[in-house]
Amino acid sequence: MSSNLVQLARTHRQSHAPTAVELLSAAVRERGVLTDEDIRATAAATGLPEATVHGVATFYDDLLAPRGRRHVRVCTGTACFAATGGAHAEQIAAGLGLRAGECSDGGSLSLAETVCLGFCHSAPAIRDRDLVDAGPGAVERVLAGTARQAGEPAVRSLLAEPALTGAGDWSGLRRTLAGMTADELLAQVDAADLRGRGGAWFPAARKWSFARAQQDTCRYVVANGDEGDPGSYIDKHLMERSPALVLEGMALAGYCVGASEGVILVRSEYPQSRPVLEAAIAAARAEGLLGDDILGSGFAFDVHVVDGAGSYVVGEETALLACLHGLRGTVSARPPFPAERGLYGHPTLVHNIETLANVPLIAARGADAYRELSPQSPNAGSKLVCFNERFAQPGVVEVPFGLTVRELCEEVAGGLVGGRAIKAVQIGGPLGGILPASLLDTPFDSAPLAEQGCMVGHGSILAFDDRTDMRRLASHLLAFGAHESCGTCFPCRIGLQRAHEEFASREAVDRARLEALLETLEVASLCAHGSGMPAPIRSLLTHFPGELGLR
Amino acid sequence: MQVTIDGVQVDVEPGTTVLQAARAAGAAVPTLCFDERMAPFGACRVCLVGVAGPDGRADVVASCTTPCRADMVVDTCDPRARRVARVVVELVLSELPVTPAPHTELAAVARDLGVHEPRWSGEVHQPDHDTRHPYLAFQHELCISCGRCVRACDEVQGAFALTAVGRGFGANVVAGIDAGFRDSACVSCGACADTCPTDAITELSLLEIAGATEDDPRSRR
Amino acid sequence: MNERFDSDVTTTCGYCGVGCRLEAHTRAGRVVSISPAADGPANRGHTCLKGRFAHQFSRSRERLSTPLIREHGELRAAGWDEALQRIASELGRIRDTHGPDAIAGLASSRATNEDCWAMQRMMRAAIGTNNIDNCSRVCHSPTSFALRRSLGYSGATGSFDDIEAAGAALIIGANPTEGHPVVGARIKQAALRGLQLVTIDPRRIELADFAVVHLSPRPGTNAAVVLGLAHVAHRDGLLDRAFIQARTEGFEAFAELLAAYDPGAVQEISGVPGADLERAAHVYAQAGEASILWGLGVTEHKYGSEVVQLICSLALMTGKIGRPGSALLPLRGQNNVQGSSDMGALPDTYSGYRKVGDEAVAQAFEACWGVSLSRSPGLKIPQMFDAAVAGTLKAMYIFGEDVAQTDPNTAHVVHALQSLDFLVCQDIFETETTRYADVVLPASSFLEKSGTFVNAERRIQLVGAAIEPPGGARTDFDILLAVSRALGHDMRLQEPEDAMREIAALTPEFTGVTYERLGRRGLQWPVAADGTDHPILYEREFHREGGRAHIAALPYKEPGDAADAEFPLVLITGRRLEHYNAGTMTRRTANIELMDRDWLELHPDDAAQLWIGDGDLVSVRSRVGRIELEARLTERIEPGHVFTAFHFPEVRTNLLIGASADVNTSCPEYKVVAVDVRPVAEQPAHTPALAPAGPA
């Protein structure tokens, strides 16, 4: 990330003023399309160069698609693919008479594709203006102009004392401020072996120590609410239904690393999340749980929310920071790590939403209690998982680690709807491997999943039923990968395009050439997007070679 | 501190990158997005080298963005690193509608790595030329999004007249609000043309020279 | 480097004083491309649009390719023998009739050291006069004077590398991103990386956007601002007492003087808000290492040399001199303004700034050249024109300078040129000045010659010929040798390198200079016999009697011109990015497509009062002249001030500049000219239908 552009953004920053990305999003919302004047005005307001702002305007999906007075967004996420094989998107396009990215002549109607709306429990999902309709009949209702807001997913916990499905009571922060030093809190988090829930499984305490070791004492905590993984709606659930848990986790992290400001980046595909979080922030301030002098302890910490604008890769931490600076959401090489040089060049702790939501319990009840949440597993704590619409009982479930995938699929989620057979499940998002039905007895734990080329990842469990065309699945996944590539590193920028072309064509897939691509992506990509995309393709090559049309 | 490059021990200052150490040790590490006037970017991944891990198995890393650690053992000829770097260059060639002119850095790197005709065909960048500036010409189809021009404009000149646009395979570079050099903040310093490894931005007058040679290097594939 | 070029020649840029090292790429005898040398110490692999692109002039059809001789009032082509014969006979006649001091020469700050050396030797040894000057007279002579007075050497105390080493920097009266673009870029980058920048200029220059604080003093009040900065540093105890004690003299008187320049008083004089002045003083004085850079906005004033002395005083009292990051860096205008003066192309000094009256020095030169030399100082440029008008100066030899466009008070200059019996111009194009020449000699550009330039950081760098001079044109060095020979003084030098051997032998600061040692990175003078050079001066002692620097205590004095009822606005002149000075070269390149005219910048408030719209043609009248040009409105200039460049002969901005000049060096006061601006009557669009009735 250009340190000069970060410096310009910092120099001109007014406290909590909208970022360039937000200003452009607002202009698109208001007027349907961005003009050069919008770009100049945004540049003037943010201190960023005009060319830079233009580059931003060409990066994010939300800023690219023209908007009519009625803007329809059809979800092309993997859960919707599993539900319809992509037919819903074609039906909507045909029904509206528009292709994705088009706006009708008079500007009354526009259509865009989006990944994903987080209604995977009820696919396919379509956003019509600000209503998200989902599930059977959604296509017909949208085409008839009678869309209705889809229901929220069911939420359960398998734990005797739920840790992540409650509202949050700030007891962890109260206990900490009443008599725990930052060192003691760090020791608890370390002993609890809290791991990053965003997919990387990195020990949180190491990140915290790294941030604390920096000389620069202006530090930030950033909550990554850019849950772009198609098929996952766990962070959406946390932000919208347990916001206090997230805020408390941020405050605790801030206390430990010496930050006084927290920022939550919320993806624009979740329009409900920001208002709920902001209401929770206001409520916490009113109760003295956020603000200048929290609970009379002298500790100051406050949080504000920033919107994304449609980019999967912004979930990667350096791209996330770029987005918070109002810049193109592209990935940067590390080092420097955000913990050394992050938001506005200052040490920054970036955590996924669910990771932060785990902190209050550790603070309130200690590392031992936390580890005991998963007695059957070497992994500590509990995990939220979510199931897609193919399952009989989809929804968000808090589970201990150590159950088998079969137990999760068949007992917790009740098997597939209509008694159909599971062909395969993809776990943990688009970068996660695909487990065939024959391997469902694999324990839901980081190590055994890794042995099968899979990961816990974000915790989504996405089933494909016996009707799924695996070559089309590969093409679907790679289309997503290529579309979302930020374009920085060459392997991902070109490699995913070429990989997608292999499967999208009617010709046989050249296996040797594909293997060369996959190795290049794995070895040479700058971030997990490029290096992760081969995982599900490798699974398909291993388990379903006959269905891929190889030569 | 000491690091070992291809079996030779060299002393390096803390903060030295593996690429700097390797080049100081005389190793030839190819690069496409690197320009020593600018901060390392780590985009092209052509500078991959092997670094011996604790288990003896080599990690493949981008040498330009990897800082040296004490006692690091680096193999610039690591077979996997070389193999992958070649595929990357092959992919780069596959996105261009024409072969790069022989004098360009891209052509030189391809020669050095022994990469010729790419195995992939597929989509290529569409020809799009802008010659409105008296000195600087854009040939957008030759852009490989290495970011060198954008970074030169940012980190060397400070005009911030260039930006990357689009994303993924569609990424490219433009001046101003896609207005060309003249209607942007460009100060015509030419740092972009100077650093461009493919002639996507080049001097207008040199374009004429390239066209005038009998053996036109820019023949269509 | 690649198959597109026949040769790649490393050389040094011939435009501004930054001294970018360049690679000139040729094909079929023409320069087809120029790229920056990656190892150039000043440019670090970068350059600007002038250095990189503005080389087409070298193959312009308008290049002089044969000598011209005036016959029946017209210039006609002539052979070299005829031209040399004509010069020798005319100058010989004038010397014999009126004495050697009836002849004067101008060396060129655009030419090499070796050219300037040959030129001053020709004037001194072949003609016998010290009437030799160069165009630093009209730009940085005040800097040279003041640095010698305060510190000892006439040169920057440090290097451009100090910009990156400094914690803070003051930029006074300079617009580096346009005038010295590569240094401007380095400053901007440093500011983005944390350099605390203070800009002081009547215009809100681009770098002001990257500054901690920008001060906009009224033109001509720099002295008050610098005294105010020193007052605040003194008042707030931000002095380096140990440095003052050990290494300077004159502080007490300075401290006494400062009492009168509190922020309130300075605001009264300069218009700079007191709080901004304090902020600026703190930024500079509180930084561990801080540098000051200045340009012609400091020097081209009635008291320009005194302001440079005050800048030295400020640096001395805060001890910010002689260390990495703490430097005084005058931004020299031309590629070899430093070297042409170093070479003694000055009326009062030999090379190394040694007085022509210094007997030992004069004898050394006499011994080397085998002639007897004049001990009396010659005329400075403005005095030359006065003497020509008065009839005491009969002939001039003007080498590489278009005085009729660039010097002030153009009408007077033209009068002087017309008054001469004989004028020789040695140039690459016909210019405003060659209109008055009796003989014009076709010379070479920097791309066609070899030798050395000295950049603004005292760095002597090699110049390499990439191509041949066109047609019958010759290198300046060869021309000067030939003219000197024709005048009866054979210098017995073959190549520029021979001249450098002579320079090294006769000039203490150049003692250890050889072309071989200069290599690719050059050397910063003084260069000791063993080749050791000095990126930083005064690390231990100053180059003055006793080794102490002098803290000059000089009060603010009003500028030579001021706005009044008849001329209510103050005109400032300066450069723009796309062109270079008289534009002789850049106007003959495609840079003309990027900027094709001069224009007058004025503030929208003034424009509204004067009923001037953006783009209107306006008339600008000063006490001595009147010009017309297009107006452009900008808030980068303060109300009450107007600005224009002087790149286009059509406009002839310097018609407006009067005779006021620096009290010590006669450097013209280009930067403060009271003017009256009004719309040209033929442009009715913005004239009110019913103008408010004035008092009857």
Side-chain angles (χ1 to χ4, degrees):
Chain A
M1 184 170 0
S2 159
S3 60
N4 283 344
L5 291 177
V6 172
Q7 173 66 18
L8 288 175
R10 172 166 66 185
T11 311
H12 293 85
R13 180 171 81 116
Q14 310 285 319
S15 179
H16 299 191
T19 64
V21 175
E22 291 178 304
L23 289 171
L24 294 171
S25 296
V28 169
R29 270 199 304 276
E30 243 170 67
R31 288 185 290 286
V33 68
L34 282 178
T35 63
D36 290 358
E37 220 23 71
D38 292 322
I39 287 167
R40 288 194 190 97
T42 300
T46 56
L48 293 176
E50 286 178 3
T52 303
V53 176
H54 174 64
V56 173
T58 63
F59 183 85
Y60 295 94
D61 280 341
D62 289 3
L63 308 179
L64 286 165
R67 289 191 198 208
R69 289 181 289 284
R70 177 184 172 204
H71 189 49
V72 176
R73 278 168 270 198
V74 59
C75 182
T76 54
T78 311
C80 293
F81 172 85
T84 75
H88 65 290
E90 289 161 24
Q91 288 159 2
I92 288 282
L96 295 178
L98 291 173
R99 280 181 303 180
E102 277 187 344
C103 184
S104 67
D105 282 345
S108 60
L109 180 65
S110 54
L111 176 65
E113 290 182 348
T114 184
V115 194
C116 99
L117 293 167
F119 280 79
C120 316
H121 61 286
S122 185
I126 302 143
R127 183 170 169 188
D128 188 349
R129 296 196 178 90
D130 275 335
L131 283 182
V132 179
D133 200 340
V139 170
E140 291 75 16
R141 283 191 296 276
V142 167
L143 290 178
T146 57
R148 62 178 193 223
Q149 181 64 33
E152 292 297 324
V155 179
R156 299 173 277 158
S157 177
L158 302 187
L159 272 55
E161 276 187 79
L164 296 171
T165 52
D169 60 6
W170 295 88
S171 60
L173 184 67
R174 287 177 202 279
R175 177 168 176 244
T176 302
L177 294 183
M180 211 189 297
T181 64
D183 287 329
E184 287 164 348
L185 176 59
L186 178 65
Q188 287 297 317
V189 171
D190 192 20
D193 193 26
L194 171 62
R195 299 295 184 115
R197 285 343 194 212
W201 210 242
F202 191 80
R206 287 222 337 244
K207 255 192 198 178
W208 294 24
S209 306
F210 201 30
R212 279 159 54 98
Q214 303 302 311
Q215 288 196 335
D216 183 350
T217 55
C218 174
R219 298 171 191 162
Y220 294 95
V221 174
V222 167
N224 182 352
D226 191 63
E227 181 185 42
D229 290 335
S232 180
Y233 48 98
I234 291 164
D235 292 343
K236 177 173 184 290
H237 154 75
L238 285 169
M239 290 190 287
E240 294 177 6
R241 296 209 250 172
S242 305
L245 210 52
V246 178
L247 296 176
E248 185 185 357
M250 291 179 78
L252 284 162
Y255 176 74
C256 185
V257 304
S260 57
E261 197 178 332
V263 183
I264 308 174
L265 183 110
V266 177
R267 64 197 296 262
S268 61
E269 292 83 351
Y270 293 171
Q272 312 302 322
S273 298
R274 181 171 186 157
V276 175
L277 282 165
E278 286 185 333
I281 290 165
R285 279 187 199 134
E287 288 178 54
L289 296 163
L290 288 176
D292 284 342
D293 178 16
I294 297 175
L295 300 171
S297 66
F299 169 57
F301 191 80
D302 210 340
V303 177
H304 76 279
V305 183
V306 172
D307 284 329
S311 159
Y312 173 67
V313 164
V314 159
E316 193 278 345
E317 59 181 5
T318 61
L320 180 95
L321 291 168
C323 181
L324 290 176
H325 293 134
L327 302 173
R328 290 165 57 82
T330 52
V331 175
S332 302
R334 298 170 296 183
F337 290 92
E340 305 166 80
R341 220 157 68 216
L343 193 58
Y344 299 110
H346 299 296
T348 302
L349 199 59
V350 183
H351 273 307
N352 148 274
I353 292 282
E354 187 183 355
T355 313
L356 288 163
N358 273 263
V359 179
L361 184 108
I362 298 169
R365 292 169 49 196
D368 291 344
Y370 181 79
R371 299 185 70 99
E372 282 161 19
L373 295 179
S374 288
Q376 308 298 319
S377 165
N379 291 324
S382 59
K383 181 76 190 84
L384 291 175
V385 296
C386 63
F387 298 95
N388 67 325
E389 156 276 353
R390 294 286 93 180
F391 286 100
Q393 293 160 18
V396 176
V397 187
E398 181 179 22
V399 301
F401 287 102
L403 299 177
T404 66
V405 176
R406 184 182 305 284
E407 286 169 319
L408 291 171
C409 290
E410 294 178 357
E411 290 165 31
V412 177
L416 296 197
V417 80
R420 296 208 81 93
I422 292 176
K423 185 168 187 178
V425 294
Q426 184 174 27
I427 303 176
L431 315 180
I434 292 173
L435 213 54
S438 58
L439 291 173
L440 288 183
D441 290 320
T442 307
F444 184 72
D445 259 329
S446 52
L449 282 174
E451 275 175 39
Q452 301 303 334
C454 297
M455 63 174 184
V456 171
H458 224 119
S460 56
I461 298 175
L462 207 153
F464 303 102
D465 68 26
D466 48 0
R467 293 168 296 190
T468 308
D469 176 336
M470 291 322 221
R471 178 159 173 158
R472 286 195 62 210
L473 173 60
S475 179
H476 160 84
L477 289 169
L478 289 165
F480 166 82
H483 177 73
E484 295 296 346
S485 168
C486 79
T488 297
C489 79
F490 291 15
C492 173
R493 179 172 65 81
I494 316 167
L496 289 176
Q497 169 78 17
R498 295 288 174 249
H500 175 241
E501 286 166 353
E502 291 276 7
F503 287 99
S505 80
R506 291 172 188 281
E507 290 166 29
V509 172
D510 181 334
R511 180 150 190 171
R513 197 166 72 169
L514 179 65
E515 293 281 358
L517 264 185
L518 297 180
E519 180 187 42
T520 300
L521 283 161
E522 285 162 344
V523 169
S525 294
L526 183 55
C527 82
H529 183 67
S531 63
M533 280 308 303
I537 307 303
R538 285 211 186 278
S539 299
L540 295 176
L541 283 171
T542 305
H543 305 301
F544 304 97
E547 296 188 34
L548 299 179
L550 303 172
R551 69 175 157 91
Chain B
M1 60 188 171
Q2 281 210 322
V3 296
T4 305
I5 310 279
D6 298 341
V8 180
Q9 291 215 329
V10 286
D11 263 320
V12 297
E13 293 293 314
T16 307
T17 63
V18 172
L19 178 65
Q20 287 169 324
R23 288 191 169 169
V29 180
T31 56
L32 278 177
C33 72
F34 181 76
D35 181 326
E36 61 186 7
R37 291 168 286 195
M38 281 99 76
F41 193 48
C44 75
R45 323 306 279 179
V46 172
C47 67
L48 299 175
V49 297
V51 171
D55 54 358
R57 196 170 168 277
D59 276 338
V60 171
V61 303
S63 60
C64 69
T65 55
T66 305
C68 288
R69 292 186 316 268
D71 304 321
M72 204 176 211
V73 177
V74 175
D75 177 6
T76 66
C77 305
D78 176 88
R80 197 159 51 121
R82 291 302 82 201
R83 185 169 71 234
V84 169
R86 273 195 290 273
V87 173
V88 172
V89 173
E90 202 181 335
L91 286 170
V92 171
L93 295 179
S94 81
E95 68 176 328
L96 307 181
V98 293
T99 48
H103 68 266
T104 59
E105 241 180 277
L106 174 57
V109 166
R111 277 195 300 272
D112 290 350
L113 289 174
V115 180
H116 305 291
E117 200 62 9
R119 277 173 283 176
W120 290 273
S121 43
E123 196 178 332
V124 296
H125 300 318
Q126 290 309 302
D128 178 7
H129 295 179
D130 179 350
T131 55
R132 287 173 289 177
H133 189 276
Y135 298 120
L136 295 166
F138 265 123
Q139 306 182 93
H140 288 289
E141 71 277 16
L142 294 175
C143 178
I144 60 170
S145 291
C146 64
R148 282 167 64 167
C149 55
V150 177
R151 288 179 288 130
C153 196
D154 168 341
E155 298 173 41
V156 176
Q157 176 58 41
F160 305 100
L162 292 172
T163 180
V165 287
R167 69 190 199 199
F169 189 77
N172 211 293
V173 157
V174 303
I177 307 177
D178 203 2
F181 288 109
R182 291 191 66 165
D183 292 317
S184 72
C186 173
V187 295
S188 307
C189 72
C192 50
D194 200 42
T195 192
C196 179
T198 67
D199 276 1
I201 301 178
T202 186
E203 267 188 72
L204 204 52
S205 58
L206 296 181
L207 211 53
E208 288 157 13
I209 286 178
T213 54
E214 307 112 88
D215 179 22
D216 187 356
R218 303 185 22 71
S219 60
R220 295 201 157 254
R221 275 215 310 269
Chain C
M1 172 191 166
N2 66 55
E3 68 284 354
R4 292 175 299 173
F5 309 128
D6 299 338
S7 72
D8 306 297
V9 176
T10 308
T11 188
T12 303
C13 184
Y15 283 104
C16 79
V18 171
C20 293
R21 295 283 285 162
L22 304 177
E23 311 281 1
H25 310 290
T26 74
R27 193 179 158 90
R30 294 147 69 106
V31 172
V32 292
S33 176
I34 289 180
S35 57
D39 56 354
N43 56 311
R44 300 174 167 183
H46 188 42
T47 186
C48 77
L49 82 168
K50 288 175 284 231
R52 188 193 300 267
F53 293 130
H55 52 75
Q56 287 155 307
F57 74 88
S58 66
R59 49 185 187 274
S60 162
R61 285 197 200 92
E62 294 165 13
R63 277 292 296 272
L64 291 171
S65 59
T66 176
L68 304 174
I69 286 181
R70 191 167 298 278
E71 201 171 78
H72 312 304
E74 298 288 320
L75 286 172
R76 63 154 173 91
W80 276 99
D81 289 346
E82 188 187 3
L84 291 172
Q85 185 51 44
R86 178 82 173 269
I87 293 169
S89 69
E90 284 300 304
L91 292 183
R93 179 184 61 75
I94 291 168
R95 180 180 53 189
D96 296 344
T97 316
H98 302 283
D101 289 338
I103 303 170
L106 294 187
S108 179
S109 297
R110 312 297 308 282
T112 63
N113 292 315
E114 293 75 1
D115 294 341
C116 290
W117 181 263
M119 178 74 194
Q120 60 90 34
R121 179 168 167 184
M122 179 180 86
M123 292 308 296
R124 290 190 162 116
I127 306 276
T129 178
N130 282 316
N131 285 342
I132 170 76
D133 206 349
N134 75 80
C135 37
S136 74
R137 178 65 52 210
V138 298
C139 63
H140 264 295
S141 55
T143 293
S144 172
F145 171 89
L147 291 177
R148 275 186 279 160
R149 276 276 172 102
S150 293
L151 311 173
Y153 284 118
S154 171
T157 74
S159 308
F160 293 134
D161 286 355
D162 290 307
I163 293 165
E164 286 85 11
L170 302 185
I171 298 178
I172 314 179
N175 186 7
T177 55
E178 299 214 45
H180 302 83
V182 168
V183 165
R186 282 180 70 169
I187 296 168
K188 193 196 279 188
Q189 292 297 333
L192 283 164
R193 287 168 170 78
L195 173 74
Q196 301 281 296
L197 198 61
V198 175
T199 51
I200 306 178
D201 198 285
R203 298 165 74 208
R204 193 176 164 83
I205 57 170
E206 186 191 0
L207 284 176
D209 298 348
F210 300 84
V212 178
V213 57
H214 171 72
L215 313 182
S216 279
R218 284 193 270 274
T221 64
N222 285 330
V225 173
V226 177
L227 286 162
L229 295 172
H231 173 99
V232 174
H234 183 237
R235 183 194 71 189
D236 297 346
L238 300 170
L239 307 181
D240 187 337
R241 294 269 178 200
F243 189 94
I244 293 170
Q245 182 79 30
R247 302 195 52 188
T248 71
E249 60 191 34
F251 174 69
E252 289 71 22
F254 190 56
E256 232 166 79
L257 173 72
L258 291 181
Y261 295 94
D262 61 71
V266 172
Q267 179 165 356
E268 194 71 20
I269 298 168
S270 68
V272 170
D276 289 353
L277 183 82
E278 291 184 338
R279 181 93 195 275
H282 292 160
V283 165
Y284 176 73
Q286 287 175 341
E289 305 296 341
S291 291
I292 307 180
L293 297 90
W294 69 93
L296 305 182
V298 165
T299 58
E300 288 176 350
H301 286 281
K302 187 171 182 187
Y303 299 100
S305 54
E306 296 195 356
V307 175
V308 179
Q309 285 178 280
L310 291 172
I311 286 170
C312 293
S313 297
L314 174 65
L316 289 166
M317 71 184 264
T318 51
K320 296 196 194 311
I321 205 161
R323 293 186 306 272
S326 285
L328 297 177
L329 298 169
L331 292 168
R332 297 308 190 101
Q334 296 177 312
N335 55 319
N336 201 31
V337 73
Q338 177 76 50
S340 58
S341 296
D342 294 343
M343 291 301 100
L346 294 170
D348 56 338
T349 59
Y350 286 112
S351 64
Y353 305 93
R354 293 159 300 159
K355 293 287 178 199
V356 292
D358 183 320
E359 195 52 39
V361 174
Q363 284 178 15
F365 278 81
E366 285 173 337
C368 181
W369 295 344
V371 293
S372 65
L373 297 167
S374 167
R375 301 296 192 266
S376 22
L379 301 174
K380 299 172 191 165
I381 293 176
Q383 294 168 336
M384 292 176 188
F385 296 137
D386 292 346
V389 170
T392 53
L393 188 73
K394 301 291 185 188
M396 285 188 80
Y397 191 115
I398 299 179
F399 162 27
E401 192 178 351
D402 186 7
V403 292
Q405 191 188 340
T406 57
D407 279 38
N409 205 354
T410 308
H412 179 66
V413 173
V414 168
H415 185 192
L417 297 175
Q418 286 171 329
S419 306
L420 293 170
D421 285 357
F422 190 64
L423 172 62
V424 182
C425 286
Q426 176 174 326
D427 217 313
I428 61 173
F429 290 107
E430 291 195 65
T431 66
E432 292 299 309
T433 306
T434 60
R435 290 167 184 264
Y436 310 100
D438 298 289
V439 178
V440 180
L441 301 176
S444 50
S445 76
F446 76 97
L447 293 165
E448 297 141 13
K449 58 169 77 171
S450 54
T452 56
F453 295 150
V454 186
N455 80 347
E457 41 176 16
R458 295 173 283 105
R459 191 185 300 276
I460 310 157
Q461 304 190 108
L462 286 173
V463 178
I467 51 175
E468 297 286 322
R474 294 189 186 174
T475 69
D476 293 280
F477 190 73
D478 287 346
I479 296 170
L480 292 165
L481 294 193
V483 173
S484 185
R485 210 177 295 121
L487 287 166
H489 177 72
D490 186 344
M491 295 191 198
R492 295 204 185 87
L493 305 170
Q494 303 297 322
E495 298 293 327
E497 192 165 5
D498 301 331
M500 183 51 80
R501 285 192 198 98
E502 188 173 299
I503 295 164
L506 286 171
T507 313
E509 288 81 20
F510 282 65
T511 301
V513 176
T514 65
Y515 279 12
E516 194 187 347
R517 280 178 177 158
L518 292 179
R520 287 189 63 86
R521 297 180 53 84
L523 293 169
Q524 288 172 278
W525 66 247
V527 181
D530 65 358
T532 310
D533 75 338
H534 288 83
I536 298 174
L537 297 178
Y538 317 128
E539 285 174 298
R540 280 177 296 281
E541 58 177 16
F542 290 93
H543 189 61
R544 295 175 79 250
E545 285 286 338
R548 284 175 178 267
H550 177 240
I551 297 182
L554 299 160
Y556 162 74
K557 303 179 198 91
E558 288 183 357
D561 199 359
D564 56 24
E566 190 183 356
F567 299 100
L569 297 171
V570 173
L571 170 73
I572 308 160
T573 62
R575 277 189 206 165
R576 299 206 192 271
L577 172 68
E578 293 83 357
H579 288 286
Y580 185 78
N581 281 14
T584 316
M585 290 150 68
T586 52
R587 281 187 288 108
R588 290 182 172 93
T589 69
N591 285 33
I592 200 81
E593 290 183 40
L594 297 169
M595 181 185 142
D596 63 359
R597 67 193 69 181
D598 282 331
W599 65 88
L600 186 79
E601 286 183 6
L602 81 167
H603 192 276
D605 292 355
D606 288 333
Q609 281 203 337
L610 295 165
W611 295 96
I612 292 169
D614 198 43
D616 286 0
L617 187 66
V618 295
S619 146
V620 183
R621 198 167 56 89
S622 76
R623 296 181 210 283
V624 299
R626 177 180 171 282
I627 62 170
E628 288 185 0
L629 75 174
E630 177 186 317
R632 293 197 191 163
L633 312 190
T634 171
E635 293 189 353
R636 288 208 174 253
I637 195 151
E638 298 280 312
H641 306 157
V642 292
F643 175 87
T644 184
F646 50 90
H647 301 309
F648 288 82
E650 303 89 294
V651 170
R652 303 201 80 168
T653 305
N654 289 320
L655 279 169
L656 300 174
I657 315 290
S660 179
D662 179 58
V663 289
N664 291 308
T665 66
S666 307
C667 177
E669 192 170 37
Y670 286 106
K671 302 289 185 180
V672 188
V673 180
V675 293
D676 177 46
V677 177
R678 54 188 60 208
V680 169
E682 292 76 20
Q683 300 265 315
H686 293 274
T687 311
L690 283 170

